[in-house]
Amino acid sequence: MSLKTDPSRIFLQVVLIVFFSLIIGVVYNSISKEGITVKGNWSKKVVSDSLIVPYSYTKDDPPAISLGQAMTYFQTHNTIFLDARLESDYKAGHIPRALNLPFEEFEQYYPKVEPLLSRDKNIITYCDGTECEASLFLARLLRTKGFGNLKIFFGGWTEWNKAGLPVQKSN
Amino acid sequence: MRELIGSKWLVLLFRLVVGITFLYASLDKIAHPDQFAHIVYNYKILPGFFINIFAITLPWIELFCGLFLILGLFIESSSILLGLLLVSFTIALSVNFLKGIDIACGCFTTDPNAKKEGAWLLIRDLVLLLMSLQILFYNRDFLSLQKIFLKNRARL
């Protein structure tokens, strides 16, 4: 049980393998159709003081709303909240009256949820918080289904719960 | 028992298992760098500016080391590199496991399936790590290109 090769030689080989992988990776990436930018932008976008959105959010997406706006909509009753998290998370606690439409299992849940939705009402999607994108992806999917009054509450369950607002649990 | 663990056949078997695993894993990442970069982002460990260059380079390290292990070239260096990668994957997975982040969606979840999947990934990484260590410490050049090269050099 011992190294046969001189450790400094191994170290050199390791550095060389990493170096060549870097060079070949960058070269291949630059000629590949699937190539990505070498320096990606993965930081969260800050729209305003109270609004942080995931990096993948673009200006063509449905509007993002803050916790304050979400609370206002919550009181109007002309609004349906859609919880994009998995059913187990939804059951453990969600915004009162929110319906569960997990983005990851959209096809399975959509037929059940669709009759409860209305195109005249505001639909606000949310998931766990600014770290998750299920709310964004769900809103994009719903837009393709013809829903127009969509909004995304990126603060999500985390912000709502932290603010001490009413919550509902399901069994 | 010691003889079995250090046997040249077992080293060869582990070289093939670890080598093929990493070779296979690298191909999908090379073909879809955007998806892989997203997964790296979901781990929430690396700083944003480093994510893409990491996603571009890492699959090629896996590809070369995997190939080297299968062919029997630079066996020690490749097993050390793959071992280091496995240690960092295990740490990254454990950190997210403890934080309760579902790697698939990069979000918090209590979904039992996500937990099960995380545990399975951890076990897989640890088994591969043990195999890499065995390859490193019982470095046998049985059925390897480096043995052929060394023989030729000795003859010269």
Side-chain angles (χ1 to χ4, degrees), chain A residues 68-135:
Chain A
Q69 288 168 303
M71 281 161 61
T72 312
Y73 278 112
F74 179 70
Q75 284 153 357
T76 63
H77 284 265
N78 191 30
T79 301
I80 300 170
F81 279 83
L82 280 184
D83 191 314
R85 299 173 301 159
L86 293 169
E87 194 175 341
S88 54
D89 298 313
Y90 170 82
K91 280 184 173 168
H94 55 83
I95 296 177
R97 301 193 308 272
L99 303 173
N100 187 210
L101 182 49
F103 165 70
E104 286 182 53
E105 288 155 289
F106 183 81
E107 296 302 328
Q108 190 192 327
Y109 282 77
Y110 184 66
K112 278 186 276 176
V113 177
E114 194 199 2
L116 307 171
L117 300 179
S118 158
R119 281 171 172 74
D120 306 326
K121 288 190 177 178
N122 294 307
I123 294 179
I124 300 178
T125 63
Y126 72 91
C127 50
D128 186 72
T130 46
E131 300 283 307
C132 76
E133 298 164 302
S135 54

Side-chain angles (χ1 to χ4, degrees), chain B:
Chain B
M1 189 65 188
R2 263 189 96 93
E3 269 173 33
L4 176 74
I5 293 174
S7 108
K8 61 183 184 183
W9 287 101
L10 198 65
V11 177
L12 178 66
L13 175 73
F14 285 178
R15 260 174 50 205
L16 291 177
V17 170
V18 177
I20 291 170
T21 306
F22 274 98
L23 186 64
Y24 177 75
S26 71
L27 297 179
D28 194 49
K29 293 175 195 158
I30 290 173
H32 305 289
D34 53 331
Q35 288 172 19
F36 179 51
H38 203 146
I39 292 172
V40 176
Y41 166 78
N42 281 347
Y43 272 80
K44 316 250 185 265
I45 287 177
L46 289 181
F49 68 90
F50 193 62
I51 289 177
N52 281 18
I53 193 72
F54 179 82
I56 289 169
T57 309
L58 181 92
W60 290 93
I61 298 178
E62 294 182 343
L63 180 107
F64 286 129
C65 291
L67 266 182
F68 288 153
L69 281 190
I70 295 166
L71 298 174
L73 271 172
F74 312 116
I75 295 177
E76 288 168 313
S77 318
S78 301
S79 56
I80 284 182
L81 245 178
L82 291 183
L84 286 174
L85 288 183
L86 285 163
V87 168
S88 43
F89 295 163
T90 309
I91 293 173
L93 260 176
S94 312
V95 168
N96 280 305
F97 197 62
L98 291 175
K99 279 199 277 187
I101 293 177
D102 175 6
I103 305 301
C105 71
C107 49
F108 289 88
T109 182
T110 52
D111 180 30
N113 285 332
K115 285 232 161 69
K116 226 187 268 168
E117 214 167 281
W120 160 240
L121 285 175
L122 266 182
I123 292 169
R124 188 199 63 183
D125 282 357
L126 286 173
V127 169
L128 285 171
L129 180 62
L130 286 177
M131 288 186 185
S132 307
L133 288 174
Q134 193 263 9
I135 297 167
L136 177 65
F137 288 118
Y138 292 97
N139 174 25
R140 300 279 196 111
D141 40 18
F142 177 57
L143 283 182
S144 71
L145 281 182
Q146 70 186 32
K147 189 177 180 183
I148 299 171
F149 289 148
L150 284 176
K151 250 189 199 165
N152 285 346
R153 197 189 283 175
R155 239 183 258 157
L156 285 173

Side-chain angles (χ1 to χ4, degrees), chain A residues 31-93:
Chain A
I31 55 172
S32 160
K33 262 191 269 172
E34 302 278 327
I36 54 177
T37 54
V38 172
K39 190 180 175 294
N41 180 18
W42 293 93
S43 51
K44 276 181 279 182
K45 294 177 198 166
V46 180
V47 179
S48 73
D49 286 349
S50 58
L51 214 51
I52 299 171
V53 300
Y55 76 95
S56 44
Y57 180 77
T58 68
K59 59 182 189 316
D60 300 324
D61 285 315
I65 58 166
S66 64
L67 176 67
Q69 288 168 303
M71 281 161 61
T72 312
Y73 278 112
F74 179 70
Q75 284 153 357
T76 63
H77 284 265
N78 191 30
T79 301
I80 300 170
F81 279 83
L82 280 184
D83 191 314
R85 299 173 301 159
L86 293 169
E87 194 175 341
S88 54
D89 298 313
Y90 170 82
K91 280 184 173 168

